[in-house]
Amino acid sequence: MHHMKHHPHTLIADFTTGNVNRQLISFAMPMFLSHLLQIVYNMADMIIVGQTLGKVGLSAISVGGDIMNCMTFIAMGFSSAGQVLIAQYIGAKQHDKLSRFVATMSAALFVFACCVTGVGLLFRREIMELMHTPPEAFAEALSYAGISMAGIVFVYGYNAVSAILRGMGDAKHPFYFISLAALLNIVLDVIFVMQMGTGAKGAALATIISQGVSFLLCAAFIYKNRDRYHLSLTLGQFFHPEKEMLISLLKLGVPMAIKNAAVQFSKMFVNSWVNSFGVAVSAFAGVANKINMSVNMMSNSVNTAGASMVGQNIGAEQYGRVRQIVFAVYRIMIAVAVAASLVIYFFPEQVYGIFTDDPAVIRIGYEYIPIAILAFFSCAGRSGSNALINGSGNSHVNFVTAVFDGIVLRLGLSVLFGIVLDMKYMGFWLGDALANFTPLWVGMLFYHSGAWKKKAV
């Protein structure tokens, strides 16, 4: 294990020396598996609910899931920011600041989770109406969203604890805890939805309980091994967050959260238009979403791993390695995009058949193939740029990407193709796929400017 220099008994990985490709893959792999598991149990949710409740159940979970994703992505923005800042502290060998930062980040996310839950529960009916939820699915979707929102504190908590571990370069432990959550989720789904017949409510409850268990275990694990992570946590620190640290978390977290939320909001805007084309189109949107998610997840895990590695190396002023890391991320993701495109091009029947046997839905799937391929390559394009933009912790560039990617181009192009050029639902999907290329060109400009060499902390 020469490439991972370990301090005695420490669980922190050092990414400032050693083989870049090997580190990137060994760090991204557990993250990818974690994401994959999340997809698998999301799919299990959809399959179990789809089989028991049919189209209506699928539509309810699709809409309720969109709202939950939006809330979760906001949390992920802050936890990604935290992960990068932790990586930069470690790269700069400032272990003394870690505990204070971890306490500050956890406190901030907890307060945030409470606010989101409050707003969500107050306005969930209005949100459902804005989403053009098909009337026959409204009641189911409402109860699904209500239960999910009540459990948001667990989602935020889990994001905080896994960001702490990943910032330290430890992606394996979060993977163990999420595996547990996935298994528990599927078991509870079978019990609640299939045996007890609780419908979409049961699916939401199963998700919340399993996330809660996984969060509590992971938090307990960090506390038990705090010395090995150079953390000297005390309960008092959680009640006294540090102002400067809170500000640097917000400066970086807000643009990341805006980027995530804006992308998600505009996706919801696109989906609400798409839903208005009827249940078959709405059902296919759910399927397309799941397919894109699988490549997205790969891209996210590789660029999150890349961002942590970039963060450590910028902290340690190893700029040559930063370049190597960014190009390694691109190479991996282009290979993934090529593979995914071949599969959807040659085996569309088999891919769509996993989710549905409805001919109307599959027909839309055939039209969608070129857009799917475009979306796969946009995923590859954004991966290396995101690793650099996020890893540098540069809040301005993050903000520019957020505004263009999330709002200007995504809504602009969707409206252009969908409404102005009247390409209907295909136009909305095309605009969405093209907007995905935004980070690629922002990242290129940022890379050539050399501004990424400045530390965020």
PDB file of all heavy atoms in Angstrom, residues 419-446:
ATOM      1  N   ILE A 419     -40.998  25.173 -26.105  1.00  0.00           N
ATOM      2  CA  ILE A 419     -42.156  26.038 -26.334  1.00  0.00           C
ATOM      3  C   ILE A 419     -42.009  26.822 -27.637  1.00  0.00           C
ATOM      4  O   ILE A 419     -42.848  26.748 -28.527  1.00  0.00           O
ATOM      5  CB  ILE A 419     -42.364  27.009 -25.144  1.00  0.00           C
ATOM      6  CG1 ILE A 419     -42.553  26.194 -23.851  1.00  0.00           C
ATOM      7  CG2 ILE A 419     -43.572  27.899 -25.381  1.00  0.00           C
ATOM      8  CD1 ILE A 419     -42.582  27.024 -22.588  1.00  0.00           C
ATOM      9  N   VAL A 420     -40.878  27.565 -27.782  1.00  0.00           N
ATOM     10  CA  VAL A 420     -40.710  28.425 -28.956  1.00  0.00           C
ATOM     11  C   VAL A 420     -40.649  27.594 -30.232  1.00  0.00           C
ATOM     12  O   VAL A 420     -41.352  27.864 -31.207  1.00  0.00           O
ATOM     13  CB  VAL A 420     -39.434  29.289 -28.817  1.00  0.00           C
ATOM     14  CG1 VAL A 420     -39.288  30.201 -30.021  1.00  0.00           C
ATOM     15  CG2 VAL A 420     -39.504  30.127 -27.544  1.00  0.00           C
ATOM     16  N   LEU A 421     -39.811  26.540 -30.247  1.00  0.00           N
ATOM     17  CA  LEU A 421     -39.690  25.709 -31.445  1.00  0.00           C
ATOM     18  C   LEU A 421     -40.717  24.572 -31.440  1.00  0.00           C
ATOM     19  O   LEU A 421     -40.736  23.739 -32.336  1.00  0.00           O
ATOM     20  CB  LEU A 421     -38.270  25.137 -31.554  1.00  0.00           C
ATOM     21  CG  LEU A 421     -37.158  26.193 -31.686  1.00  0.00           C
ATOM     22  CD1 LEU A 421     -35.791  25.539 -31.681  1.00  0.00           C
ATOM     23  CD2 LEU A 421     -37.347  27.015 -32.951  1.00  0.00           C
ATOM     24  N   ASP A 422     -41.527  24.538 -30.376  1.00  0.00           N
ATOM     25  CA  ASP A 422     -42.631  23.583 -30.280  1.00  0.00           C
ATOM     26  C   ASP A 422     -42.226  22.122 -30.506  1.00  0.00           C
ATOM     27  O   ASP A 422     -42.888  21.389 -31.222  1.00  0.00           O
ATOM     28  CB  ASP A 422     -43.737  23.990 -31.263  1.00  0.00           C
ATOM     29  CG  ASP A 422     -45.073  23.361 -30.862  1.00  0.00           C
ATOM     30  OD1 ASP A 422     -45.259  23.125 -29.642  1.00  0.00           O
ATOM     31  OD2 ASP A 422     -45.900  23.083 -31.745  1.00  0.00           O
ATOM     32  N   MET A 423     -41.106  21.707 -29.882  1.00  0.00           N
ATOM     33  CA  MET A 423     -40.694  20.303 -30.011  1.00  0.00           C
ATOM     34  C   MET A 423     -41.345  19.466 -28.907  1.00  0.00           C
ATOM     35  O   MET A 423     -40.970  18.321 -28.676  1.00  0.00           O
ATOM     36  CB  MET A 423     -39.172  20.186 -29.932  1.00  0.00           C
ATOM     37  CG  MET A 423     -38.457  20.707 -31.182  1.00  0.00           C
ATOM     38  SD  MET A 423     -36.667  20.898 -30.884  1.00  0.00           S
ATOM     39  CE  MET A 423     -36.183  19.196 -30.561  1.00  0.00           C
ATOM     40  N   LYS A 424     -42.300  20.087 -28.175  1.00  0.00           N
ATOM     41  CA  LYS A 424     -43.001  19.398 -27.087  1.00  0.00           C
ATOM     42  C   LYS A 424     -42.041  18.840 -26.031  1.00  0.00           C
ATOM     43  O   LYS A 424     -41.024  19.451 -25.754  1.00  0.00           O
ATOM     44  CB  LYS A 424     -43.896  18.285 -27.650  1.00  0.00           C
ATOM     45  CG  LYS A 424     -44.773  18.718 -28.800  1.00  0.00           C
ATOM     46  CD  LYS A 424     -46.233  18.502 -28.473  1.00  0.00           C
ATOM     47  CE  LYS A 424     -47.236  19.115 -29.428  1.00  0.00           C
ATOM     48  NZ  LYS A 424     -46.784  19.847 -30.590  1.00  0.00           N
ATOM     49  N   TYR A 425     -42.391  17.661 -25.484  1.00  0.00           N
ATOM     50  CA  TYR A 425     -41.572  17.136 -24.382  1.00  0.00           C
ATOM     51  C   TYR A 425     -40.144  16.829 -24.807  1.00  0.00           C
ATOM     52  O   TYR A 425     -39.212  16.971 -24.024  1.00  0.00           O
ATOM     53  CB  TYR A 425     -42.233  15.913 -23.742  1.00  0.00           C
ATOM     54  CG  TYR A 425     -42.662  14.836 -24.714  1.00  0.00           C
ATOM     55  CD1 TYR A 425     -41.798  13.810 -25.078  1.00  0.00           C
ATOM     56  CD2 TYR A 425     -43.951  14.848 -25.262  1.00  0.00           C
ATOM     57  CE1 TYR A 425     -42.192  12.821 -25.963  1.00  0.00           C
ATOM     58  CE2 TYR A 425     -44.353  13.856 -26.154  1.00  0.00           C
ATOM     59  CZ  TYR A 425     -43.466  12.847 -26.499  1.00  0.00           C
ATOM     60  OH  TYR A 425     -43.853  11.875 -27.382  1.00  0.00           O
ATOM     61  N   MET A 426     -39.934  16.456 -26.082  1.00  0.00           N
ATOM     62  CA  MET A 426     -38.569  16.183 -26.546  1.00  0.00           C
ATOM     63  C   MET A 426     -37.703  17.440 -26.453  1.00  0.00           C
ATOM     64  O   MET A 426     -36.518  17.386 -26.142  1.00  0.00           O
ATOM     65  CB  MET A 426     -38.568  15.691 -28.002  1.00  0.00           C
ATOM     66  CG  MET A 426     -39.187  14.325 -28.203  1.00  0.00           C
ATOM     67  SD  MET A 426     -38.382  13.040 -27.223  1.00  0.00           S
ATOM     68  CE  MET A 426     -36.921  12.798 -28.199  1.00  0.00           C
ATOM     69  N   GLY A 427     -38.307  18.587 -26.733  1.00  0.00           N
ATOM     70  CA  GLY A 427     -37.581  19.857 -26.678  1.00  0.00           C
ATOM     71  C   GLY A 427     -37.093  20.166 -25.274  1.00  0.00           C
ATOM     72  O   GLY A 427     -35.971  20.642 -25.076  1.00  0.00           O
ATOM     73  N   PHE A 428     -37.952  19.877 -24.292  1.00  0.00           N
ATOM     74  CA  PHE A 428     -37.554  20.127 -22.904  1.00  0.00           C
ATOM     75  C   PHE A 428     -36.370  19.241 -22.532  1.00  0.00           C
ATOM     76  O   PHE A 428     -35.432  19.678 -21.873  1.00  0.00           O
ATOM     77  CB  PHE A 428     -38.724  19.867 -21.956  1.00  0.00           C
ATOM     78  CG  PHE A 428     -39.741  20.957 -22.008  1.00  0.00           C
ATOM     79  CD1 PHE A 428     -40.925  20.795 -22.695  1.00  0.00           C
ATOM     80  CD2 PHE A 428     -39.483  22.171 -21.383  1.00  0.00           C
ATOM     81  CE1 PHE A 428     -41.854  21.826 -22.760  1.00  0.00           C
ATOM     82  CE2 PHE A 428     -40.400  23.205 -21.439  1.00  0.00           C
ATOM     83  CZ  PHE A 428     -41.588  23.029 -22.127  1.00  0.00           C
ATOM     84  N   TRP A 429     -36.436  17.984 -22.969  1.00  0.00           N
ATOM     85  CA  TRP A 429     -35.336  17.068 -22.640  1.00  0.00           C
ATOM     86  C   TRP A 429     -34.043  17.471 -23.344  1.00  0.00           C
ATOM     87  O   TRP A 429     -32.961  17.380 -22.783  1.00  0.00           O
ATOM     88  CB  TRP A 429     -35.730  15.630 -22.998  1.00  0.00           C
ATOM     89  CG  TRP A 429     -36.728  15.059 -22.043  1.00  0.00           C
ATOM     90  CD1 TRP A 429     -36.862  15.388 -20.727  1.00  0.00           C
ATOM     91  CD2 TRP A 429     -37.730  14.075 -22.317  1.00  0.00           C
ATOM     92  NE1 TRP A 429     -37.889  14.664 -20.159  1.00  0.00           N
ATOM     93  CE2 TRP A 429     -38.442  13.855 -21.104  1.00  0.00           C
ATOM     94  CE3 TRP A 429     -38.102  13.358 -23.459  1.00  0.00           C
ATOM     95  CZ2 TRP A 429     -39.493  12.933 -21.007  1.00  0.00           C
ATOM     96  CZ3 TRP A 429     -39.145  12.447 -23.359  1.00  0.00           C
ATOM     97  CH2 TRP A 429     -39.837  12.240 -22.149  1.00  0.00           C
ATOM     98  N   LEU A 430     -34.177  17.947 -24.576  1.00  0.00           N
ATOM     99  CA  LEU A 430     -32.990  18.360 -25.341  1.00  0.00           C
ATOM    100  C   LEU A 430     -32.320  19.562 -24.676  1.00  0.00           C
ATOM    101  O   LEU A 430     -31.092  19.592 -24.493  1.00  0.00           O
ATOM    102  CB  LEU A 430     -33.396  18.710 -26.778  1.00  0.00           C
ATOM    103  CG  LEU A 430     -32.263  19.185 -27.691  1.00  0.00           C
ATOM    104  CD1 LEU A 430     -31.228  18.074 -27.875  1.00  0.00           C
ATOM    105  CD2 LEU A 430     -32.801  19.623 -29.049  1.00  0.00           C
ATOM    106  N   GLY A 431     -33.126  20.546 -24.270  1.00  0.00           N
ATOM    107  CA  GLY A 431     -32.585  21.742 -23.618  1.00  0.00           C
ATOM    108  C   GLY A 431     -31.840  21.380 -22.347  1.00  0.00           C
ATOM    109  O   GLY A 431     -30.740  21.881 -22.062  1.00  0.00           O
ATOM    110  N   ASP A 432     -32.428  20.455 -21.600  1.00  0.00           N
ATOM    111  CA  ASP A 432     -31.839  19.987 -20.356  1.00  0.00           C
ATOM    112  C   ASP A 432     -30.470  19.348 -20.618  1.00  0.00           C
ATOM    113  O   ASP A 432     -29.487  19.628 -19.932  1.00  0.00           O
ATOM    114  CB  ASP A 432     -32.806  18.966 -19.747  1.00  0.00           C
ATOM    115  CG  ASP A 432     -32.555  18.762 -18.265  1.00  0.00           C
ATOM    116  OD1 ASP A 432     -32.387  19.770 -17.563  1.00  0.00           O
ATOM    117  OD2 ASP A 432     -32.517  17.597 -17.825  1.00  0.00           O
ATOM    118  N   ALA A 433     -30.414  18.495 -21.646  1.00  0.00           N
ATOM    119  CA  ALA A 433     -29.157  17.792 -21.957  1.00  0.00           C
ATOM    120  C   ALA A 433     -28.069  18.776 -22.411  1.00  0.00           C
ATOM    121  O   ALA A 433     -26.902  18.653 -22.032  1.00  0.00           O
ATOM    122  CB  ALA A 433     -29.389  16.737 -23.029  1.00  0.00           C
ATOM    123  N   LEU A 434     -28.442  19.771 -23.216  1.00  0.00           N
ATOM    124  CA  LEU A 434     -27.450  20.739 -23.707  1.00  0.00           C
ATOM    125  C   LEU A 434     -26.942  21.631 -22.569  1.00  0.00           C
ATOM    126  O   LEU A 434     -25.757  21.974 -22.518  1.00  0.00           O
ATOM    127  CB  LEU A 434     -28.043  21.595 -24.825  1.00  0.00           C
ATOM    128  CG  LEU A 434     -28.259  20.861 -26.154  1.00  0.00           C
ATOM    129  CD1 LEU A 434     -28.963  21.774 -27.153  1.00  0.00           C
ATOM    130  CD2 LEU A 434     -26.940  20.372 -26.743  1.00  0.00           C
ATOM    131  N   ALA A 435     -27.837  21.995 -21.651  1.00  0.00           N
ATOM    132  CA  ALA A 435     -27.434  22.861 -20.532  1.00  0.00           C
ATOM    133  C   ALA A 435     -26.380  22.179 -19.670  1.00  0.00           C
ATOM    134  O   ALA A 435     -25.538  22.830 -19.056  1.00  0.00           O
ATOM    135  CB  ALA A 435     -28.651  23.218 -19.686  1.00  0.00           C
ATOM    136  N   ASN A 436     -26.421  20.842 -19.663  1.00  0.00           N
ATOM    137  CA  ASN A 436     -25.454  20.062 -18.890  1.00  0.00           C
ATOM    138  C   ASN A 436     -24.000  20.310 -19.275  1.00  0.00           C
ATOM    139  O   ASN A 436     -23.096  19.953 -18.528  1.00  0.00           O
ATOM    140  CB  ASN A 436     -25.726  18.569 -19.101  1.00  0.00           C
ATOM    141  CG  ASN A 436     -26.505  18.001 -17.961  1.00  0.00           C
ATOM    142  OD1 ASN A 436     -26.456  18.528 -16.848  1.00  0.00           O
ATOM    143  ND2 ASN A 436     -27.233  16.941 -18.212  1.00  0.00           N
ATOM    144  N   PHE A 437     -23.788  20.856 -20.468  1.00  0.00           N
ATOM    145  CA  PHE A 437     -22.405  21.103 -20.913  1.00  0.00           C
ATOM    146  C   PHE A 437     -21.789  22.356 -20.290  1.00  0.00           C
ATOM    147  O   PHE A 437     -20.600  22.599 -20.437  1.00  0.00           O
ATOM    148  CB  PHE A 437     -22.334  21.212 -22.447  1.00  0.00           C
ATOM    149  CG  PHE A 437     -22.404  19.886 -23.149  1.00  0.00           C
ATOM    150  CD1 PHE A 437     -23.594  19.423 -23.686  1.00  0.00           C
ATOM    151  CD2 PHE A 437     -21.263  19.096 -23.263  1.00  0.00           C
ATOM    152  CE1 PHE A 437     -23.663  18.189 -24.337  1.00  0.00           C
ATOM    153  CE2 PHE A 437     -21.321  17.864 -23.911  1.00  0.00           C
ATOM    154  CZ  PHE A 437     -22.519  17.411 -24.443  1.00  0.00           C
ATOM    155  N   THR A 438     -22.633  23.165 -19.593  1.00  0.00           N
ATOM    156  CA  THR A 438     -22.134  24.431 -19.029  1.00  0.00           C
ATOM    157  C   THR A 438     -20.804  24.318 -18.275  1.00  0.00           C
ATOM    158  O   THR A 438     -19.875  25.059 -18.565  1.00  0.00           O
ATOM    159  CB  THR A 438     -23.180  25.062 -18.088  1.00  0.00           C
ATOM    160  OG1 THR A 438     -24.443  25.037 -18.742  1.00  0.00           O
ATOM    161  CG2 THR A 438     -22.802  26.478 -17.727  1.00  0.00           C
ATOM    162  N   PRO A 439     -20.695  23.398 -17.271  1.00  0.00           N
ATOM    163  CA  PRO A 439     -19.450  23.383 -16.490  1.00  0.00           C
ATOM    164  C   PRO A 439     -18.228  23.116 -17.361  1.00  0.00           C
ATOM    165  O   PRO A 439     -17.133  23.548 -17.018  1.00  0.00           O
ATOM    166  CB  PRO A 439     -19.644  22.219 -15.505  1.00  0.00           C
ATOM    167  CG  PRO A 439     -21.104  22.016 -15.438  1.00  0.00           C
ATOM    168  CD  PRO A 439     -21.663  22.414 -16.768  1.00  0.00           C
ATOM    169  N   LEU A 440     -18.424  22.442 -18.488  1.00  0.00           N
ATOM    170  CA  LEU A 440     -17.286  22.114 -19.344  1.00  0.00           C
ATOM    171  C   LEU A 440     -16.583  23.385 -19.813  1.00  0.00           C
ATOM    172  O   LEU A 440     -15.380  23.555 -19.621  1.00  0.00           O
ATOM    173  CB  LEU A 440     -17.748  21.287 -20.556  1.00  0.00           C
ATOM    174  CG  LEU A 440     -16.643  20.934 -21.563  1.00  0.00           C
ATOM    175  CD1 LEU A 440     -15.585  20.045 -20.925  1.00  0.00           C
ATOM    176  CD2 LEU A 440     -17.225  20.238 -22.786  1.00  0.00           C
ATOM    177  N   TRP A 441     -17.368  24.329 -20.363  1.00  0.00           N
ATOM    178  CA  TRP A 441     -16.683  25.526 -20.887  1.00  0.00           C
ATOM    179  C   TRP A 441     -16.272  26.491 -19.787  1.00  0.00           C
ATOM    180  O   TRP A 441     -15.244  27.148 -19.871  1.00  0.00           O
ATOM    181  CB  TRP A 441     -17.451  26.185 -22.033  1.00  0.00           C
ATOM    182  CG  TRP A 441     -18.887  26.520 -21.796  1.00  0.00           C
ATOM    183  CD1 TRP A 441     -19.970  25.770 -22.138  1.00  0.00           C
ATOM    184  CD2 TRP A 441     -19.415  27.703 -21.172  1.00  0.00           C
ATOM    185  NE1 TRP A 441     -21.139  26.400 -21.761  1.00  0.00           N
ATOM    186  CE2 TRP A 441     -20.836  27.585 -21.178  1.00  0.00           C
ATOM    187  CE3 TRP A 441     -18.836  28.844 -20.617  1.00  0.00           C
ATOM    188  CZ2 TRP A 441     -21.669  28.570 -20.649  1.00  0.00           C
ATOM    189  CZ3 TRP A 441     -19.668  29.824 -20.093  1.00  0.00           C
ATOM    190  CH2 TRP A 441     -21.070  29.680 -20.114  1.00  0.00           C
ATOM    191  N   VAL A 442     -17.064  26.564 -18.693  1.00  0.00           N
ATOM    192  CA  VAL A 442     -16.639  27.403 -17.561  1.00  0.00           C
ATOM    193  C   VAL A 442     -15.323  26.851 -17.007  1.00  0.00           C
ATOM    194  O   VAL A 442     -14.376  27.587 -16.731  1.00  0.00           O
ATOM    195  CB  VAL A 442     -17.699  27.440 -16.441  1.00  0.00           C
ATOM    196  CG1 VAL A 442     -17.191  28.251 -15.256  1.00  0.00           C
ATOM    197  CG2 VAL A 442     -19.002  28.033 -16.961  1.00  0.00           C
ATOM    198  N   GLY A 443     -15.272  25.527 -16.864  1.00  0.00           N
ATOM    199  CA  GLY A 443     -14.085  24.865 -16.310  1.00  0.00           C
ATOM    200  C   GLY A 443     -12.847  25.097 -17.163  1.00  0.00           C
ATOM    201  O   GLY A 443     -11.746  25.305 -16.642  1.00  0.00           O
ATOM    202  N   MET A 444     -13.015  25.073 -18.480  1.00  0.00           N
ATOM    203  CA  MET A 444     -11.874  25.291 -19.368  1.00  0.00           C
ATOM    204  C   MET A 444     -11.299  26.694 -19.189  1.00  0.00           C
ATOM    205  O   MET A 444     -10.084  26.875 -19.091  1.00  0.00           O
ATOM    206  CB  MET A 444     -12.292  25.084 -20.829  1.00  0.00           C
ATOM    207  CG  MET A 444     -12.427  23.625 -21.197  1.00  0.00           C
ATOM    208  SD  MET A 444     -13.016  23.470 -22.890  1.00  0.00           S
ATOM    209  CE  MET A 444     -12.554  21.781 -23.228  1.00  0.00           C
ATOM    210  N   LEU A 445     -12.199  27.690 -19.133  1.00  0.00           N
ATOM    211  CA  LEU A 445     -11.739  29.064 -18.934  1.00  0.00           C
ATOM    212  C   LEU A 445     -11.012  29.200 -17.598  1.00  0.00           C
ATOM    213  O   LEU A 445      -9.954  29.810 -17.495  1.00  0.00           O
ATOM    214  CB  LEU A 445     -12.929  30.035 -18.968  1.00  0.00           C
ATOM    215  CG  LEU A 445     -13.636  30.190 -20.314  1.00  0.00           C
ATOM    216  CD1 LEU A 445     -14.922  30.995 -20.169  1.00  0.00           C
ATOM    217  CD2 LEU A 445     -12.705  30.860 -21.319  1.00  0.00           C
ATOM    218  N   PHE A 446     -11.609  28.584 -16.568  1.00  0.00           N
ATOM    219  CA  PHE A 446     -11.068  28.655 -15.210  1.00  0.00           C
ATOM    220  C   PHE A 446      -9.685  27.991 -15.168  1.00  0.00           C
ATOM    221  O   PHE A 446      -8.740  28.515 -14.577  1.00  0.00           O
ATOM    222  CB  PHE A 446     -12.042  27.937 -14.269  1.00  0.00           C
ATOM    223  CG  PHE A 446     -11.642  27.958 -12.818  1.00  0.00           C
ATOM    224  CD1 PHE A 446     -11.233  29.125 -12.198  1.00  0.00           C
ATOM    225  CD2 PHE A 446     -11.722  26.790 -12.055  1.00  0.00           C
ATOM    226  CE1 PHE A 446     -10.899  29.143 -10.846  1.00  0.00           C
ATOM    227  CE2 PHE A 446     -11.383  26.798 -10.703  1.00  0.00           C
ATOM    228  CZ  PHE A 446     -10.969  27.974 -10.111  1.00  0.00           C
TER     229      PHE A 446
END
